[in-house]
Amino acid sequence: MRMLIKNGTIVTAADSFAGDVWIVDGTIVAIADARQRAAFAAEREIDAAGKYVMPGGIDVHTHLDMPFMGTTSRDDFQTGTIAAAHGGTTTIVDFAIQARGQSLRAALDAWHAKAEGKAAIDYGFHMIVSDVNPSSLEEMGGLGAEGVTSYKLFTAYPGALYSDDGQILRAMQRARDLGALVSLHAENGIAINVLIEQAVARGERAPRYHATTRPEVTEAEATHRALCLAEVAGAPVYIVHLTAARALEEVVRFRDRGLPVYAETCPQYLFCSTDDLEREGFEGAKYVCSPPMRPRAMQEELWRGLRTGHLQVVATDHCPFDFVGQKEMGREVFTRIPNGMPTIETRLLLVWDGGVRAGRFGPSRFVEMMATAPAKLFGLYPRKGSVAVGADADLVVWDPDREQSLAARALHMRVDYSPYEGRTVRGAPTHVLSRGTVIVEDGKFLGRPGAGRFVKRSGYAPA
Amino acid sequence: MRMLIKNGTIVTAADSFAGDVWIVDGTIVAIADARQRAAFAAEREIDAAGKYVMPGGIDVHTHLDMPFMGTTSRDDFQTGTIAAAHGGTTTIVDFAIQARGQSLRAALDAWHAKAEGKAAIDYGFHMIVSDVNPSSLEEMGGLGAEGVTSYKLFTAYPGALYSDDGQILRAMQRARDLGALVSLHAENGIAINVLIEQAVARGERAPRYHATTRPEVTEAEATHRALCLAEVAGAPVYIVHLTAARALEEVVRFRDRGLPVYAETCPQYLFCSTDDLEREGFEGAKYVCSPPMRPRAMQEELWRGLRTGHLQVVATDHCPFDFVGQKEMGREVFTRIPNGMPTIETRLLLVWDGGVRAGRFGPSRFVEMMATAPAKLFGLYPRKGSVAVGADADLVVWDPDREQSLAARALHMRVDYSPYEGRTVRGAPTHVLSRGTVIVEDGKFLGRPGAGRFVKRSGYAPA
Amino acid sequence: MRMLIKNGTIVTAADSFAGDVWIVDGTIVAIADARQRAAFAAEREIDAAGKYVMPGGIDVHTHLDMPFMGTTSRDDFQTGTIAAAHGGTTTIVDFAIQARGQSLRAALDAWHAKAEGKAAIDYGFHMIVSDVNPSSLEEMGGLGAEGVTSYKLFTAYPGALYSDDGQILRAMQRARDLGALVSLHAENGIAINVLIEQAVARGERAPRYHATTRPEVTEAEATHRALCLAEVAGAPVYIVHLTAARALEEVVRFRDRGLPVYAETCPQYLFCSTDDLEREGFEGAKYVCSPPMRPRAMQEELWRGLRTGHLQVVATDHCPFDFVGQKEMGREVFTRIPNGMPTIETRLLLVWDGGVRAGRFGPSRFVEMMATAPAKLFGLYPRKGSVAVGADADLVVWDPDREQSLAARALHMRVDYSPYEGRTVRGAPTHVLSRGTVIVEDGKFLGRPGAGRFVKRSGYAPA
Amino acid sequence: MRMLIKNGTIVTAADSFAGDVWIVDGTIVAIADARQRAAFAAEREIDAAGKYVMPGGIDVHTHLDMPFMGTTSRDDFQTGTIAAAHGGTTTIVDFAIQARGQSLRAALDAWHAKAEGKAAIDYGFHMIVSDVNPSSLEEMGGLGAEGVTSYKLFTAYPGALYSDDGQILRAMQRARDLGALVSLHAENGIAINVLIEQAVARGERAPRYHATTRPEVTEAEATHRALCLAEVAGAPVYIVHLTAARALEEVVRFRDRGLPVYAETCPQYLFCSTDDLEREGFEGAKYVCSPPMRPRAMQEELWRGLRTGHLQVVATDHCPFDFVGQKEMGREVFTRIPNGMPTIETRLLLVWDGGVRAGRFGPSRFVEMMATAPAKLFGLYPRKGSVAVGADADLVVWDPDREQSLAARALHMRVDYSPYEGRTVRGAPTHVLSRGTVIVEDGKFLGRPGAGRFVKRSGYAPA
């Protein structure tokens, strides 16, 4: 199967130039000038005139079909990956979760079972280690060969996903030796639990108290701690969903010292705020996730972090719960509101609109944070993450003038609300290709559940 | 009893001027010009010509008669306070230690019993809370009335003195409400234990590995965490025995933001270093204490902290163990070396010599860090801590030209070695007064065990 | 003449305690307990019960009878010092100004002539060197013996008071050798002149453009430059009227490194803002001074600087011009508004109210920034600046409950407006003493023009 | 003319992958998989197996045929560009210098005359404005159309190249409006001249005093000033030859705030130090350039800046003077040693060896700092600076195993010494192409003087 994407502006994390992309059997075989076109007999052509041709989005932070807080995130690997594809994302890395007492093996098998036959785009797994002990540390040694080369630990959620500092240190040391990368959910869960208990005792039960009981400084503290432990271990570290300006300040300090410290933020922190948590009635519940919404002024700090490069990645932490029946579990007290928001489909749309269209950065920087940087950090590169010869033809043809409503009914995620209801963005994909197959064209899904393949990732290899 | 100290240069934390001190019944009743002397009929006169008259030293960090690591610190309240007096210290605040499961009440009683009838100078108690729980939090409410208005918690020593972040937060909140001050021993004990286990497994058993397993970043981390938790609590915090330049950097950041954050360092960190830990044979054991010795270059950072005022207090963490029989317990492995060094007698001597004589700061700053600042932070002021009308006549007459050997045999602490063997300093007390009584004169102890009284301290009241 | 101030709370920069002050012939001879009172036969007694007894205020930044911008500041040494006394200030250091081509000698003589027979309180002179050249550098050597031990240079006002970086460096080196202190007016005057020219060309002529043409960064730049030049010279430096948060940030950086760097701010920057510059009509002209008003949010940064000690002094930059006839010179264009505001009388009143009463700091810190710190930095100490035996009895008896209107008609400065019209503060002096003589009592001036003496200051001697 | 570079590893600032480069008439027309090779009939093939194919180096800081300090830099556009080509550099941007009183036009004409018919590689010109005045500001408006879109100003060299802060501000404002970029040589020349005068008066005449009279803080000061002026102007700024750690600290502060601030360093600051200046005899003169050599420890700070991206470019400041006859002019006093060092040929060699081979960063980062970043900042992109379709085929085929001596006799610059005599590096070009023509192959120059063309550069366009 030979395909030509012609006349587009090809964008990589470094370059932007007019050219054609030649694809054979799902792989990019050339990037060429139009005058060479005669040399390539294509069976199908896509005309990208006036559009950008970019690597498909890579979302390294999703939670599909995840049991959490007594319920399960609504999107499974079928609905979630189809929604992702609609938004221009062609690879996700989801989190397999080791339950306490369970083996990593069992956890990984469970997640493979969830994805198998359902995923419409390629996918990988990080492993959440809830139980760092000699056995699980030993088991980590075998996962690399299976393509699982990253781990996530929590300073939040004591009694559940939480690891203590010794466990984190040991896991980082082990990951360092294996060439794997450790991610941290960095909030001081133990201090937060005290604040929650006290708030609830004072009768503070509405959604907005989800934020007041997780103050900025608890995120800054845990972030600094994670960076320090990584420094002790001599290991790289990746902070997921960084939210607070002061947490970013810690990341900046370590990065300016030259340490291999990375951080992602998510669209909801760039576009929503505590104002949303305080919406009338129980509406605020739609914006409950952890870390929580921050004051509106903090959004600009995060955009600045993206512009300066101190934040490397925008991922989603996609974890959708219906307002009806799920978010409502917390009507009586915010602690029972399932934490999570739907974003897997809107990531590129929002960041293009707020980042590129708004003039904060250019298309190359967009590609870097949406695809190239996560691909490199998490071992998907060079197979994924760029428009380059030899890479998978995971591509989006992006029309900077296409408008897209973010209303729930205009989107494809399996969730009964949109945090961005009423908002329209400009800039959207006209074609999305997964390994050379057009899976979305002009808003129609042309792919197939089960066509997505598990991707064995290589280890962390800093540039 | 009416006493006159005449012709001296009186030094307070702010001022320095020629004058006489008039004392009646142990209290300063006037500071006067020599020409007013006729108006005061003194029964005893001390001529302080050419000398400084300063408030007696206040050492807010001592461990006398303390059971630790399977043995007991050598100095008890008799030998320790006599040694302190020789060095110009007239008040100490020692640490009563709640054992796990014990009440604060019982701990306080036990420490009162240790001191009663033995102390040669006035003393108070901080309370180490090893077991923060509803009962001990409740008990804190009663201690203020008994003059115990400060608490110490540990992020070090898991399984023993360690409190988790929730316990620390709750204790800080409680202390805030009571007007009490929380101190922190800030090292990440959980991470350190991992490093120790790994080092010992590698055969690293000599004293110098005490430092390599407690790297600077573990102190910086715990310091930042303590400051963050205090910020969450809206409480002041005091970091004991700050040692690492990077921990100081954290303190500076919070202080520059205007938060009520305080820190002490100790003479051993100003004068000793990892070079001492690496001395031949088992000599390094003499320098084992926690936090550990740091590289020599860090001394200058601590002096700078004292000069800029970011470090407010020099205390001792006096906790002496004999080399023979005690330090030797760790000959096989450094983890069994009792942590602690003897310093109660040499604090003023060392800091005057290295600070004032060396030109790093003047006598007023010396007085501030040795007496006034600790008095104010820990509720001893205005009774103690300055040369002021109405204050206890706890005074030292200090001869800047008097030389003093720091050899073990020239000192009075009950311990079989000196970390400063062979060193002579210039600047030493000729007279030390406790509430108007001369207890040391020209190197002779004239006081009496049991003459020291327990001082009820008032709460933390920032200037 | 023997005087007793009894029953007050005596406040120094370090201490606060109940006591009497004994004064003989204008000098403090004792600070004593009430029970010693019988020993002192006083001819006059002041009862300070319920009040504070503090050192008289020292204002190290005044411009009396100064020719500037084609007119002359309204207060001369008579009216200005009487107003100062009313507000509790007992010593000023004014600026003698060397005109280009003039000798320092001639400038000093001219300023002596202005003050002689007029000043109601003691006074000293700094020397503004407008013409740093071999001759003026040589002349600096003789001024110390005459009690002039501080110099001021400008990076502002090119063509008038401006010195280039080489001149500043040479003056700092010379001052260092002489034990003198160099002050800097730190704004980048050359860049500002470009902005002014451009603004005026755009028709921006109202008072508010005085601030927009002197943006914060021009102050931060010049401050950093002054600190760097002092570092090159190995000399201390004192930044006058620091206004901008970013300039403070530069000062903090250098101070945290331990360098001898000092800064003052002024009441107008703590209480006024660009909001005042933008008042209707031409009212904004009343708030034109340099550096200019800053946004209101910056006030809190300056208060924080005072609390942390990074700002050491509050002085006034008192330089009053009538609204009618003087400020009005700039009705057509802001560049002709004489720069300056009246503050000499209200300094202690404002800072007590906004600092001590508002709970930002206590009376000792107030004394330190109002009297002790400027006295020490500028060689007035120990004669001035504290309540200490042997010091001049320059004292204020301060009633924390006394209310004082800041309306122009309630004040004594020779100027036709008050920037604080309509504002009442709480906390004011009941008695002001200059060398033991009561010169203000309950709002009445009892002193005498000409009673103030020139004070020979000693050199800069850091604590 | 159709050329194929096959089997290499193509490296861009973002990507690295196996591929062929197809070139037609000097332009890259495709980057393709080997299996597409049949479709491209090449007249010449280069086998790059085992080698990297990278964009040719771009050196944006050279001084060829420059009159300076009474002599002229030895390399002219012929010898200099041939040497550059040997080292893998295919484009330079040299500095045309406006003399005081001269028009920019005349300066540009003069430099065109120097290059015309001589340059062996493509070249552009920055314009040094020595005389910022209404006429030269006006003239700037016309230069963009001629392809001169960047300006350089000096805070150094008063009386010669120096501009005052007002001139710098006006030039920055003008450049901002024109879409041009201003570079700064940031040393405080006025302060330095004072230090030089004083040093020489003390008899300090040897080469090493070149460094002591230009202390680090004078560079940090001028750097901060330049950044502040750019902030006032709302303009980007580029600091040339950044040398001092504290200057870098200033750059980092502004960059972390998100401002468009850029800086370059040079190989001599990464590899030489004050140790070299202190070499025996007059050898130190070989290392005299401005800013001067810094202590050896500072090299690591610069490498860190390159790794973190806070330094964006490595350029050379190539300005060679013979030891015999030129450097010797300063035998009597260092002020007469012509400032400058030869580096145009060794830039890629040194930075690959010390950067990539030493493991400090990877090939993509190397390409970014050597070619892509300078191309983008200075308007050469996308024509130059990457391996991309449509770009000039300015390429190097780089053999990571090729060894190269840095002895003077092994190099091609017209200068009688090498600062790196005796040093061998690993990693060197086997082929260098200028617009598709092989101009260097295996160390032989195959190009032609005069083949290099003047490149009209577009304006500054941040990514």
Side-chain angles (χ1 to χ4, degrees), chain C residues 13-207:
Chain C
D15 294 309
S16 180
F17 53 91
D20 295 350
V21 180
W22 301 2
I23 301 165
V24 174
D25 295 340
T27 299
I28 298 170
V29 299
I31 297 163
D33 187 276
R35 281 163 293 184
Q36 304 301 315
R37 203 176 286 163
F40 185 68
E43 296 158 62
R44 178 165 178 197
E45 296 194 358
I46 294 172
D47 191 341
K51 296 172 190 160
Y52 294 102
V53 179
M54 307 189 292
I58 295 176
D59 186 348
V60 292
H61 193 154
T62 68
H63 295 290
L64 300 177
D65 198 3
M66 180 180 74
F68 189 52
M69 296 182 73
T71 183
T72 299
S73 66
R74 284 285 286 147
D75 271 318
D76 63 13
F77 277 80
Q78 179 167 327
T79 62
T81 56
I82 291 172
H86 275 284
T89 289
T90 54
T91 306
I92 61 169
V93 187
D94 202 86
F95 290 88
I97 306 178
Q98 174 208 27
R100 301 241 160 163
Q102 194 185 33
S103 69
L104 302 184
R105 169 82 273 145
L108 185 56
D109 289 347
W111 255 262
H112 271 300
K114 287 172 190 274
E116 192 97 27
K118 287 192 160 180
I121 58 174
D122 289 355
Y123 59 94
F125 293 122
H126 310 281
M127 177 60 66
I128 289 177
V129 189
S130 306
D131 204 353
V132 178
N133 57 41
S135 161
S136 55
L137 288 166
E138 175 62 27
E139 246 190 312
M140 284 169 69
L143 291 192
E146 302 198 36
V148 174
T149 55
S150 50
Y151 296 89
K152 186 176 171 193
L153 299 168
F154 291 73
T155 61
Y157 307 126
L161 301 167
Y162 175 87
S163 292
D164 75 26
D165 295 350
Q167 292 173 308
I168 293 169
L169 177 56
R170 287 184 200 272
M172 285 174 163
Q173 292 173 324
R174 179 72 167 146
R176 173 203 63 202
D177 293 342
L178 296 170
L181 179 59
V182 168
S183 295
L184 256 294
H185 176 142
E187 291 186 292
N188 188 321
I190 293 183
I192 285 168
N193 275 7
V194 171
L195 298 178
I196 288 173
E197 180 195 312
Q198 295 171 337
V200 172
R202 284 191 301 266
E204 298 170 355
R205 298 174 153 255

Side-chain angles (χ1 to χ4, degrees), chain C residues 270-289:
Chain C
L270 295 165
F271 290 91
C272 308
S273 74
T274 46
D275 295 354
D276 293 304
L277 266 184
E278 288 165 15
R279 289 186 181 209
E280 283 203 12
F282 192 60
E283 286 294 293
K286 294 177 178 173
Y287 300 88
V288 167
C289 56

Side-chain angles (χ1 to χ4, degrees), chain A residues 76-196:
Chain A
D76 62 14
F77 277 79
Q78 179 167 329
T79 62
T81 56
I82 291 172
H86 275 283
T89 289
T90 54
T91 306
I92 61 168
V93 186
D94 202 88
F95 290 89
I97 305 180
Q98 173 207 28
R100 301 240 160 164
Q102 193 185 33
S103 69
L104 302 184
R105 169 81 273 145
L108 185 56
D109 288 347
W111 255 262
H112 271 300
K114 287 171 190 275
E116 193 100 27
K118 288 191 159 180
I121 59 174
D122 290 355
Y123 59 93
F125 294 123
H126 311 280
M127 177 60 65
I128 289 176
V129 188
S130 306
D131 204 351
V132 178
N133 57 40
S135 162
S136 55
L137 287 166
E138 175 63 28
E139 244 190 314
M140 285 169 69
L143 291 192
E146 302 198 37
V148 174
T149 55
S150 49
Y151 297 89
K152 185 176 172 193
L153 298 168
F154 291 73
T155 61
Y157 306 126
L161 301 167
Y162 175 87
S163 292
D164 75 26
D165 294 351
Q167 292 173 309
I168 294 170
L169 177 56
R170 287 184 200 273
M172 284 174 163
Q173 291 173 324
R174 179 72 166 146
R176 173 203 63 201
D177 292 343
L178 296 169
L181 179 60
V182 168
S183 295
L184 257 292
H185 175 142
E187 290 185 293
N188 188 320
I190 293 184
I192 285 168
N193 276 7
V194 171
L195 297 178
I196 289 173

